[in-house]
Amino acid sequence: MLLTPHFSLEEFTLSSTALALGIENTPEPAHLENLQKLAQRMEDVRALFNVVIEITSGYRNPQVNHAVGGVPNSAHALGLAADFHVHGFTDLEAAKRIRDSALKFD
């Protein structure tokens, strides 16, 4: 299912930990709404770089979040956070470019 033109729900819910432990990492409806908003924000990041963005960690249901050592109130567990890699840039280069842009982030 596409959340936005360049990001799918599967990208935000894929978890090697969930797969290894046999945990279904399906978001609740409220978390799905958050993921749609997050994907739109990631479209802004993609537009800034104009290259492929790889989501390396997105939504984690409570079981997955616990299994990876996440804090109970993690933004990942709410569908409000994503770790990602910008193709062709180091993570530090990408972070600096986002920092220096007009994009709002935390």
Side-chain angles (χ1 to χ4, degrees), residues 11-78:
E11 289 176 272
F12 284 95
T13 58
L14 181 64
S15 165
S16 58
T17 299
L19 291 172
L21 298 176
I23 301 170
E24 190 173 323
N25 194 36
T26 304
E28 299 291 328
H31 300 147
L32 182 56
E33 274 187 50
N34 290 342
L35 286 167
Q36 289 174 316
K37 292 174 188 172
L38 176 61
Q40 188 54 58
R41 295 291 308 276
M42 292 305 301
E43 287 287 349
D44 296 338
V45 173
R46 189 180 190 285
L48 177 67
F49 291 93
N50 197 31
V51 297
V52 172
I53 305 284
E54 177 187 356
I55 305 300
T56 57
S57 180
Y59 175 72
R60 303 178 196 144
N61 72 22
Q63 285 179 290
V64 175
N65 190 55
H66 178 74
V68 301
V71 295
N73 62 345
S74 168
H76 285 276
L78 300 173

